[in-house]
Amino acid sequence: GQNIDQPTEMTATEGAIVQINCTYQTSGFNGLFWYQQHAGEAPTFLSYNVLDGLEEKGRFSSFLSRSKGYSYLLLKELQMKDSASYLCAVKDGDYKLSFGAGTTVTVRA
Amino acid sequence: DAEITQSPRHKITETGRQVTLACHQTWNHNNMFWYRQDLGHGLRLIHYSYGVQDTNKGEVSDGYSVSRSNTEDLPLTLESAASSQTSVYFCASSEGTGESDTQYFGPGTRLTVL
């Protein structure tokens, strides 16, 4: 089975940095994804990690430690448009994804 | 441009009725997936397909069925709708090759069962 945990909500100020943690216990592991989902919209792909370490993509970075079953998504220079839910998902041995419940990030002015 | 579409975007139905939600992708992706999204549960996998004539059950498949007669479409059928199936349904597709094999999501269908 799959167990994926992430905080329910986080609040931060515009221009600040926020780190969203994700811990997982899964029966198989073939990579970890982060998706962004604005209210009423579809999830959109942000990042993919399969090896340990940090992947940087503009203002967003994602980190993975396979031995610890841990990942985080780092959002820098927060903007109002970053207010959304962020979904952590683990890919198993096939092509299936198991999702965490999502973290709602609210950016305040 | 290639895309993934879902229809209808909103649907209200009554308990016991059969409902079919459509999903169509023009990426020529091998893999297609159906999820439901409910508050507090995140996205849960209902059914998935790795190619034409292939279908598989996900973690919450009871009361749902799918068929894959061509590459582009994976319709989801609720055989006899129940109030517990009120949810937002997302279809996704992925290429089925490559290391990451990223899934791309359709816009979603909001289904209400009264």
Side-chain angles (χ1 to χ4, degrees), chain B:
Chain B
D1 285 346
E3 60 179 355
I4 181 166
T5 57
Q6 294 183 233
S7 63
R9 296 295 312 279
H10 300 271
K11 174 79 176 177
I12 300 174
T13 190
E14 295 177 342
T15 302
R17 291 192 180 262
Q18 183 180 80
V19 176
T20 296
L21 308 183
C23 175
H24 179 80
Q25 53 96 5
T26 58
W27 282 307
N28 200 35
H29 282 171
N30 291 320
N31 300 344
M32 296 185 73
F33 307 84
W34 273 105
Y35 297 89
R36 61 178 289 173
Q37 187 173 39
D38 306 286
L39 277 174
H41 286 282
L43 287 157
R44 291 183 291 174
L45 185 63
I46 305 171
H47 281 286
Y48 58 101
S49 168
Y50 291 149
V52 176
Q53 301 301 331
D54 176 75
T55 61
N56 305 280
K57 293 181 179 180
E59 65 174 305
V60 289
S61 61
D62 287 349
Y64 304 94
S65 63
V66 293
S67 61
R68 187 92 179 269
S69 60
N70 59 51
T71 300
E72 297 79 18
D73 299 289
L74 186 71
L76 177 71
T77 297
L78 287 66
E79 303 294 344
S80 177
S83 57
S84 60
Q85 293 177 309
T86 292
S87 187
V88 179
Y89 291 86
F90 287 101
C91 178
S93 71
S94 69
E95 192 171 7
T97 61
E99 183 180 72
S100 67
D101 196 51
T102 301
Q103 291 187 21
Y104 298 95
F105 285 80
T109 295
R110 183 174 294 276
L111 176 68
T112 302
V113 183
L114 301 176

Side-chain angles (χ1 to χ4, degrees), chain A residues 17-51:
Chain A
I17 298 172
V18 70
Q19 178 175 314
I20 306 169
N21 296 324
C22 172
T23 59
Y24 63 89
Q25 293 175 306
T26 58
S27 56
F29 181 84
N30 274 292
L32 187 142
F33 291 80
W34 285 96
Y35 283 83
Q36 181 190 59
Q37 186 178 26
H38 285 101
E41 298 183 7
T44 55
F45 169 73
L46 283 179
S47 69
Y48 169 73
N49 295 68
V50 67
L51 300 177

